Amino acid sequence: MSQATSNVSLDTIISLCKRRGFVYQSAEIYGGLNGVYDFGHLGSMLKQNIRNAWTQSITKQQENILFLEGAILGPHAMWEASGHIEGFHDPMVDCLECKHRFRADEIDLQKSCPHCGNKAWTDVRQFNMMFKTHVGAAQEHSSVAYLRPETAQTIFVNFKNVMSTNRVKIPFGIAQIGKAFRNEITPKHFLFRVREFEQMELEWFCHPDDTQHFFDLWCDLRHSFYTTIGIKEKNIRLRSHEKEELAHYSSRTNDVEYQFPFGWKELEGIADRGSFDLDQHSKHSGKDLSVYDDETKSSYVPHVIESSVGVGRLFTALFFDAYCQDVIEGEERTVLKFHPSMAPIKAAFLPLSKKLTEPIRNLYKQIAQKGYKVEFDESGSIGKRYRRQDEIGTPVCFTYDFDSEQDQCVTARDRDTLKQERISMDHVESYLNNLLS
Ligand code: GAP
């Protein structure tokens, strides 16, 4: 095998995602919808692996984590209290010549338009990124609602419900995985910045005196999560926000950043939201969201440490991290070196010839019935079938050949090292177990 290369362009990733059925442009047959994507079979499985890994990691690291599935639609009053009506804006500017629209903080307005080369800008305007809609048939003020731009607010408004119905005590966390929507001025970099996406958010409620401790703890835990799912350490770093970067609700934020080909960019934000959200919802709803401390016999409003990461953004990072090209016996191959826990398909079962189908198909069925995500493939040359599995990141292929009939063994071929070993068909399940544990 020749030296492997891992430099890859965004276009290569996009085309691989489409070719192998990971991601499609949404409503493509109608010309697509900018910044909106659909996930195919392998894409859905990769997303599910990401969600599972996140859930497992936060619940392993701390007990006292409860889950919520909040509504996507939220009333005007809730978004007013959260500060999103007032403050969830990006600055927008248009080129008067070519009518291209930009985020004003992403271009130099002293220079010409990057699209047409002219220099004629509109004034910079603030653009609210929430999608507004009307609930019910009558379009009066009271029916205005918004698609949530973050899942977090449904957690804050349910804080008391969750606490009183689950008998938990501070400190505890409420976690949520769900859709969020932002009318981004310029969706870009594939799934990195889109208009419809999924967030995995944890709001950790603690006593104000423990804020520093939990902020540091969650920064450590979240930073280390990424290497456990196979992301290379050199591509991950933690960066503190400058004061002027902070969101309206945060007094300090650390981003976990990934080194994309288009620069170090935020994967996840860990923010100290203090009591901002509970205070705001208390004030606007008139409901008391403080908790009573039995020891000190006094009430206080808990502070919140938030960890928030986008599933699609992590999906993109995993592709860049895993993508690799090398040459085997003069033939170029593309391989996704996903960590086995992330790989959508854990193993492929391949008969060397169509005459050998039955026994390996039976083994495949047995393993699939035990809940492993596996594939059976008998069409095309064995080399082509290996390439296909490499390209979708399957860690191991089990091949049944003419010797298998005698020794009841299959050849296990490792995706990354290409090492082949004979193993008994009875040991295939434990082989997979080892690989995944
Ligand atoms: N509740 C806090 C919050 O929403 P954020 O930094 O705006 O904070 C958190 O978003 C995470 O959500 C980001 O780190 C990113 O992974 C993901 N995210 C945000 N906007 C996104 C977009 N337009 N497209 C894809 N992912 C996005």
Side-chain angles (χ1 to χ4, degrees), residues 359-360 363 400 404 408-410 423-429:
I360 185 89
L363 180 60
Y400 187 91
S404 307
Q408 295 301 299
C409 286
V410 284
I423 60 162
S424 157
M425 288 166 79
D426 292 341
H427 292 156
V428 162
E429 191 186 348

Side-chain angles (χ1 to χ4, degrees), residues 220-364:
D220 283 351
L221 295 175
R222 296 305 307 146
H223 185 193
S224 60
F225 164 69
Y226 293 95
T227 47
T228 69
I229 56 165
I231 289 196
K232 297 178 192 83
E233 211 164 338
K234 70 179 171 73
N235 288 333
I236 283 286
R237 73 176 187 193
L238 208 58
R239 186 186 68 82
S240 294
H241 275 209
E242 301 293 336
K243 254 212 159 78
E244 54 282 5
E245 285 178 85
L246 291 171
H248 62 274
Y249 50 74
S250 171
S251 59
R252 60 186 155 161
T253 295
N254 281 348
D255 282 346
V256 179
E257 293 189 330
Y258 180 76
Q259 185 168 211
F260 289 97
F262 41 89
W264 283 98
K265 300 277 175 205
E266 172 185 348
L267 251 194
E268 163 166 353
I270 302 141
D272 173 357
R273 295 182 78 127
S275 60
F276 176 86
D277 301 276
L278 294 184
D279 283 342
Q280 284 294 105
H281 288 302
S282 246
K283 197 167 108 192
H284 284 251
S285 68
K287 302 281 186 299
D288 177 13
L289 298 179
S290 64
V291 296
Y292 186 72
D293 186 336
D294 282 330
E295 272 175 34
T296 61
K297 309 271 181 252
S298 60
S299 296
Y300 66 93
V301 180
H303 278 202
V304 172
I305 304 300
E306 171 182 81
S307 139
S308 174
V309 51
V311 177
R313 211 170 266 195
L314 180 49
F315 186 111
T316 314
L318 284 170
F319 263 85
F320 279 115
D321 222 70
Y323 187 92
C324 192
Q325 275 201 316
D326 55 26
V327 179
I328 319 164
E329 290 157 11
E331 215 187 297
E332 208 170 79
R333 76 164 181 160
T334 297
V335 52
L336 288 176
K337 294 189 174 177
F338 285 137
H339 188 275
S341 65
M342 290 295 107
I345 304 295
K346 307 302 181 193
F349 292 78
L350 316 171
L352 188 63
S353 140
K354 283 205 174 157
K355 290 184 202 130
L356 300 168
T357 295
E358 231 22 61
I360 185 89
R361 195 199 288 276
N362 288 340
L363 180 60
Y364 152 74

Side-chain angles (χ1 to χ4, degrees), residues 117-135:
N118 290 297
K119 193 174 160 216
W121 299 115
T122 61
D123 289 339
V124 174
R125 289 103 68 211
Q126 292 300 325
F127 175 73
N128 190 296
M129 290 192 288
M130 281 197 297
F131 284 99
K132 190 175 183 179
T133 188
H134 294 269
V135 173

